[in-house]
Amino acid sequence: MSRTLIVAAAQMGPIPRSQSRQEAVARLIGMMVEARRMGADLIVYPEAALTAFFPHWWIEDEAELDAWFEREMPSAATQPLFDTAARLGIGFKLGYCELDMTTGRKRRFNTAILVDRLGRIVGKYRKIHLPGTDRHRPEHPFQNLEKRYFEIGDLGFPVWETMGGRMGMMICNDRRWPESWRVLGLQGVELAMLGYNTPVHNPNTPETDDLNNFHNHLSVQAGAYQNGTWAVAVAKAGLEEGVDQIGQSCIVAPSGEIVAQASTLGDEIVVARCDLDRCAVYKKHIFDFARHRRPEHYGLILERTGAGEPLGKTPG
Ligand code: CDT
């Protein structure tokens, strides 16, 4: 059986603050139909694909904050996306903001789900590496308040066997951390999917602004190559409510090469034929973890969170 999936990266342009869920879902459905016409088996949407990226704003009112979150998935507003996927026979990965009440207390997560070609939710991931701060920085042109509005994800980095391959998810900032990729790699991931909302300007470190596109690709290409996996990284791009965000959504082969890339900052689909068997040459040789990894020398990775004293001793 062929293990080639045609995968679509569905980059989105900005979602205006005033855009309703129904309008955002209509956009997602339009892209899904187009992707299917291009032959796609699976479409990958950005992080927080149903709303503007509200962590860029200071919000004090609890009800106003809650309005940016989904209490159920699917909901009346999102059900048409699931119905269209099932009708077209296309899987999808969707990022959204989740308000969870299942433990009896309100918990908010930055979440992504994986839906199979029958329209069934087969996987859920909650963002672990939350960037930014929980403090208001009125001196900055925009905020980055993910640490205030979301809890750290509690589901780890699972990999699911579905749609003919091993699939994993991460969200935006997670892609910068080799640990996210390696935990997926240790489960034999063959397709890693992620969405991002990455501003062009870093208020804390403006000297790195020019490198944001480079760092995006650097992270995804390195993660894909070092774990022998396909990767799909999808932006919400362009000028959203005064915040400029990078584009350059891409599909990366297990070789680390970019095989498809968006060239606008708007709604744009790029597709690639992803032969999952192309992972094997990396997984069985240069990155044969069982043969080459030396976890007995990686203890600090679990022992330390922040960097500490160097362990080097002068010999003799
Ligand atoms: N959404 C998200 O995680 N954004 C962060 C901004 C970090 S500032 C460079 C990101 O990693 O892109």
Side-chain angles (χ1 to χ4, degrees):
M1 184 182 123
S2 161
R3 294 217 310 136
T4 296
L5 283 179
I6 300 184
V7 179
Q11 178 174 287
M12 297 180 79
I15 299 184
R17 200 174 179 142
S18 58
Q19 190 160 88
S20 69
R21 297 291 198 287
Q22 286 78 3
E23 289 166 321
V25 168
R27 266 170 81 180
L28 299 178
I29 290 175
M31 287 195 282
M32 183 178 272
V33 169
E34 186 184 340
R36 187 67 194 132
R37 233 183 262 132
M38 295 161 89
D41 302 300
L42 174 63
I43 178 167
V44 180
Y45 297 113
E47 172 188 35
L50 297 173
T51 60
F53 199 67
F54 61 88
H56 289 155
W57 314 314
W58 176 253
I59 301 169
E60 284 182 272
D61 182 77
E62 177 99 357
E64 185 187 337
L65 180 61
D66 285 350
W68 294 104
F69 288 78
E70 311 305 312
R71 288 169 185 265
E72 47 178 358
M73 188 58 68
S75 60
T78 50
Q79 185 66 51
L81 185 65
F82 288 73
D83 294 344
T84 307
R87 181 171 58 78
L88 297 176
I90 182 170
F92 66 92
K93 194 249 34 158
L94 176 73
Y96 65 98
C97 299
E98 176 193 10
L99 196 157
D100 175 80
M101 292 296 297
T102 56
T103 60
R105 113 185 138 77
K106 193 185 282 185
R107 300 188 304 158
R108 300 188 184 93
F109 296 103
N110 189 339
T111 296
I113 48 167
L114 181 59
V115 176
D116 72 9
R117 300 175 75 172
L118 299 174
R120 300 175 304 200
I121 296 177
V122 291
K124 180 188 273 195
Y125 168 70
R126 289 169 169 161
K127 185 173 182 177
I128 287 176
H129 297 100
L130 299 174
T133 171
D134 58 2
R135 294 202 359 251
H136 192 198
R137 296 272 167 82
E139 71 280 15
H140 286 175
F142 59 90
Q143 307 299 309
N144 189 351
L145 289 163
E146 290 197 54
K147 279 188 161 57
R148 181 179 182 87
Y149 298 152
F150 303 121
E151 293 187 25
I152 295 167
D154 60 348
L155 302 175
F157 289 98
V159 165
W160 296 269
E161 286 197 312
T162 181
M163 294 179 263
R166 292 194 180 183
M167 315 270 175
M169 295 186 276
M170 59 183 85
I171 300 179
C172 194
N173 188 248
D174 289 320
R175 73 195 185 291
R176 304 184 192 276
W177 299 88
E179 294 88 343
S180 319
W181 294 93
R182 186 59 98 222
V183 174
L184 295 181
L186 285 168
Q187 300 165 77
V189 70
E190 295 171 313
L191 179 61
M193 291 164 267
L194 67 101
Y196 55 92
N197 283 265
T198 297
V200 168
H201 172 54
N202 306 307
N204 288 311
T205 58
E207 66 275 26
T208 67
D209 286 2
D210 285 347
L211 298 169
N212 277 343
N213 277 312
F214 168 62
H215 289 157
N216 174 42
H217 284 173
L218 178 68
S219 302
V220 178
Q221 291 180 261
Y225 168 63
Q226 291 167 350
N227 293 280
T229 180
W230 288 90
V232 187
V234 184
K236 174 127 65 58
L239 184 61
E240 186 182 82
E241 300 293 347
V243 181
D244 245 327
Q245 303 203 110
I246 68 166
Q248 297 200 346
S249 301
C250 60
I251 302 177
V252 176
S255 60
E257 295 164 289
I258 294 175
V259 296
Q261 183 180 317
S263 60
T264 70
L265 293 173
D267 288 9
E268 179 182 349
I269 307 239
V270 294
V271 297
R273 295 177 67 82
C274 301
D275 178 356
L276 302 183
D277 287 334
R278 280 182 60 191
C279 299
V281 68
Y282 297 95
K283 290 187 189 295
K284 287 187 180 158
H285 297 279
I286 185 82
F287 297 121
D288 180 346
F289 292 164
R291 266 197 313 143
H292 303 307
R293 289 185 77 247
R294 297 289 171 251
E296 66 274 26
H297 294 291
Y298 308 155
L300 282 190
I301 287 179
L302 285 186
E303 285 163 25
R304 290 185 181 175
T305 305
E309 292 302 310
L311 300 182
K313 291 193 176 64
T314 307

